[in-house]
Structure formats: C-alpha cells, structure tokens
Amino acid sequence: MKKIITPGTSEIIIKKSRFLGTVLPVSSEEEARAYLAAEKKTHYAARHTCHAFRFGDAPATVRFSDDGEPGGTAGKPILSVIEGSDVRDILIMVTRYFGGTLLGTGGLVRAYTEAAQAALENAELREIRLRTGLTLRLTYSDLDTVTHILQKENYPVEADYTDTITIRTMVPSEEVEPLTTLLTEKTAGRATFTAGEAQLC
C-alpha cells in the first residue's frame, strides 16, 4: 500500500477539450468535498469536474461521480485508476473544459482514464510500512557520525540541542535492531535509544 507525499497534476487536450487531472491525499469525505468545491470554484467556466476517492481501512469508503457526463464514462474510469494503484486515502479529480466536439462514450472513458493516470504518475508516492519512532540521545562528539548514518538511509531527523543531543526519527520496524546495533558500534556505546510503538505510515 502507498500514500501520497506530494500531489500530482496533469493536462491533456483531446479534440480541443482540456482535461485537468489532480491527485490529492484525503482522510475524510468532508475533506474530499472541500477540495471538490474549491476545484469547481477555481474552474467555474469548466463543463464538468468528475472525481473518485477512497479512504480508510477495509472496508474503505469509496465515492465517484460523472458530474453530468454520460453514466460510467468518467467517475468509474477514475475509480478504476485508484483501484489499480494500491494507493490509500486518495482523491482524483478531472476537470473538463468542453472543446465543442463530442468524444463519444469510449473517447470519454479513455480521456478521463488518461488524465487520472497522468496525474497519479506525477504525484510523489511512498510505500506505507510498519515504522517505529526512535529517540536517540548522544553527545556532540557523535553528532556527525549519527546524522550521516541516518541521512544516508533517508530517515527523517528532528533534533533538540541542549547539553546533550536528542534526535527523533521514524525507522521501518524491521530496521530498528540493525540500526541501533550499528549506531552503538559507531559511537562506542555512547548513544542510547528509546523505541516507541510501531505504526503504519
């Protein structure tokens, strides 16, 4: 399962119709509806703003809308992109500016699918894993060594500096033991560790 780190957008033009795709993370139906309202306000001259979203654990909450397009030509194709993506807590909107030429049901399905897929491809995603919060306490003499190791593995680093240093990070749970073993070795046992509860994130 994956989560959205950075939203994605797309724009495709088919027979003078513009399709603007947007992918956003959502955690509730209210949040999704607020994004939809803002999108329609921004693109008030557009003919349609179709969407699909899915959030929550099984059973997930799923909604989709054709927003005036022929039934099954917009919302369901967008939802199919979501269902094929393995991304949780996601909203995809596709806004259409009508170009004057009818695309037919098959053409609409392809257009909405393409715009949704392109926006998703442009979003930054991260694999959801079981991660453990780790608090490290160390001396200033070990700071460079410890931060180099953490940054090399792309672990987030949040530090407080007093007479000693406290670093908080999130580590994939299966990597906690090898990491603490390595840091203990590199700091000659001076660094100490406190692990929090594991969580999916």
Side-chain angles (χ1 to χ4, degrees):
M1 192 71 76
K2 300 173 184 175
K3 64 187 281 188
I4 299 166
I5 302 302
T6 305
T9 59
S10 66
E11 178 176 356
I12 64 171
I13 299 175
I14 300 175
K15 294 183 179 179
K16 297 183 179 179
S17 279
R18 292 174 65 214
F19 294 84
L20 307 176
T22 303
V23 169
L24 293 164
V26 292
S27 57
S28 68
E29 186 160 353
E30 292 73 20
E31 186 177 17
R33 299 293 178 195
Y35 280 132
L36 283 163
E39 180 78 357
K40 289 185 176 184
K41 185 175 181 180
T42 298
H43 298 284
Y44 62 89
R47 181 73 64 90
H48 310 279
T49 296
C50 308
H51 74 275
F53 60 83
R54 178 180 67 189
F55 68 88
D57 297 319
T61 299
V62 176
R63 301 282 187 274
F64 61 91
S65 170
D66 296 310
D67 194 34
E69 292 281 32
T73 62
K76 276 198 169 183
I78 296 170
L79 181 60
S80 293
V81 172
I82 290 175
E83 290 175 336
S85 70
D86 199 34
V87 178
R88 65 180 293 170
D89 301 338
I90 177 175
L91 164 68
I92 300 183
M93 302 178 289
V94 180
T95 295
R96 180 190 183 189
Y97 284 87
F98 184 56
T101 301
L102 296 176
L103 301 182
T105 56
L108 288 172
V109 169
R110 286 190 295 274
Y112 280 101
T113 299
E114 183 181 337
Q117 286 176 333
L120 185 58
E121 288 169 3
N122 289 329
E124 181 185 354
L125 307 177
R126 189 179 76 184
E127 194 78 28
I128 296 175
R129 301 170 66 180
L130 196 62
R131 299 175 194 270
T132 298
L134 195 62
T135 301
L136 294 73
R137 292 178 178 82
L138 54 139
T139 64
Y140 280 85
S141 62
D142 294 317
L143 177 61
D144 288 344
T145 298
V146 171
T147 55
H148 174 74
I149 292 170
L150 296 177
Q151 290 171 353
K152 183 180 178 182
E153 298 299 328
N154 292 317
Y155 297 144
V157 174
E158 180 184 329
D160 291 330
Y161 301 93
T162 55
D163 52 334
T164 59
I165 301 168
T166 301
I167 292 179
R168 287 174 293 278
T169 187
M170 291 292 289
V171 179
S173 297
E174 71 275 11
E175 297 176 15
V176 170
E177 186 175 343
L179 175 64
T180 54
T181 298
L182 175 63
L183 292 175
T184 298
E185 177 187 326
K186 294 296 185 182
T187 63
R190 290 184 294 273
T192 61
F193 315 94
T194 304
E197 291 187 4
Q199 56 184 303
L200 284 171
C201 59

